[in-house]
Amino acid sequence: WATHMQQMLNRVNKGLLGESNGAAKLTRSQVEEIRSSVATQDALATRFGVSQSTIWRVVRRKNWLGVES
């Protein structure tokens, strides 16, 4: 069994995070744009075609941790 940290490092090493993840709904540049925007989360969700909770997770850095913006 692997620890959570080992699992996360494995994902990074295999390129399974960020845009390279087939389930990713956003690109790195979109994440940067979302984080720098002053628009409402609802407006951003509509614009990018994702849920408001996805935007919330991006803004609060629960997702896309490797993007420094």
Side-chain angles (χ1 to χ4, degrees):
W1 299 94
T3 66
H4 178 70
M5 181 58 75
Q6 290 168 327
Q7 292 172 355
M8 292 303 294
L9 290 172
N10 190 38
R11 288 181 184 176
V12 170
N13 292 336
K14 290 185 176 184
L16 299 175
L17 298 177
E19 290 178 61
S20 60
N21 180 337
K25 295 181 171 117
L26 298 168
T27 65
R28 181 181 195 89
S29 62
Q30 289 173 323
V31 169
E32 291 169 347
E33 188 174 343
I34 288 166
R35 287 186 179 160
S36 65
S37 177
V38 295
T40 66
Q41 290 183 7
D42 285 332
L44 291 169
T46 300
R47 178 176 173 190
F48 291 105
V50 297
S51 68
Q52 181 273 329
S53 62
T54 297
I55 300 297
W56 182 90
R57 291 184 65 76
V58 168
V59 170
R60 299 288 187 278
R61 299 183 189 282
K62 303 292 182 185
N63 291 356
W64 290 89
L65 302 175
V67 177
E68 300 290 332
S69 55

